[in-house]
Amino acid sequence: MNELLHKYWEGQSSLEEEQKLIAYFNSEAVAPEHEVYRSIFNAFEEESVMKEEIDFDAFAKLAPEEKPKDHSKIRVLKGLGIAAGFAALIAVGSNYIGTTETNTDLGTYEDPKEAYHATVEALQLVSTKFNNGRKNLKPLSEINNKTEKVFKTK
């Protein structure tokens, strides 16, 4: 019996040998040195006899899928979406078809002085837009100054 117990604890026993151990511990002829194991094997026997009496449904608490009540509304909305898509495609396509004319004026100047004045005007426009954009960044520079004082990065 000690050999069977040793094989059992090592995980090398067969099912037949385990049945012999269970029968041995259920009998009255258990050796005194093996009495400590009797409760373990009796618990295994009780566990195998127990039936699962719990009626458990894993999906019982899931909410049923909600289905729309009126399918005609969904069909109408799908149809409107498709129609809007086609209308957008037609609008974009008609814009490309109507612009078949080529613009031959490349914005060039014959007189160098005219070209210089046009360039200066364009650069002044860009400069004013750039400076207007820099005005919006002034609060950020103040924040940077405050954080530099706090974190002493300078």
Side-chain angles (χ1 to χ4, degrees):
M1 200 47 64
N2 285 334
E3 279 184 36
L4 279 177
L5 279 171
H6 181 70
K7 283 176 71 175
Y8 179 79
W9 296 125
E10 292 294 319
Q12 298 174 351
S13 62
S14 67
L15 288 176
E16 294 169 357
E17 292 170 336
E18 290 176 15
Q19 292 300 325
K20 287 180 187 177
L21 283 172
I22 290 172
Y24 169 70
F25 283 107
N26 285 335
S27 70
E28 298 296 324
V30 178
E33 68 264 11
H34 297 146
E35 279 294 327
V36 290
Y37 304 121
R38 180 186 284 256
S39 61
I40 295 172
F41 284 94
N42 285 341
F44 291 153
E45 181 66 24
E46 289 173 8
E47 199 173 288
S48 67
V49 172
M50 287 177 32
K51 291 183 180 178
E52 186 175 326
E53 296 178 7
I54 300 171
D55 186 24
F56 178 72
D57 185 11
F59 298 102
K61 292 193 176 191
L62 290 177
E65 186 177 320
E66 292 183 22
K67 295 186 179 183
K69 295 178 183 176
D70 191 11
H71 293 290
S72 63
K73 289 181 183 177
I74 293 174
R75 288 182 186 153
V76 168
L77 289 175
K78 283 182 182 179
L80 285 175
I82 292 170
F86 279 121
L89 287 175
I90 290 171
V92 170
S94 65
N95 190 21
Y96 283 120
I97 293 172
T99 58
T100 57
E101 301 173 8
T102 57
N103 191 358
T104 56
D105 182 23
L106 300 177
T108 57
Y109 294 97
E110 297 294 323
D111 185 22
K113 288 183 181 181
E114 283 183 47
Y116 174 76
H117 289 296
T119 304
V120 168
E121 286 178 18
L123 289 174
Q124 284 178 347
L125 177 67
V126 170
S127 176
T128 56
K129 297 292 183 182
F130 183 72
N131 287 335
N132 286 339
R134 285 185 56 180
K135 288 178 188 174
N136 294 334
L137 295 177
K138 188 173 182 181
L140 289 178
S141 63
E142 291 177 18
I143 291 172
N144 284 339
N145 291 337
K146 301 287 183 185
T147 55
E148 287 172 357
K149 289 178 182 177
V150 171
F151 294 114
K152 298 179 183 174
T153 58
K154 282 190 176 180

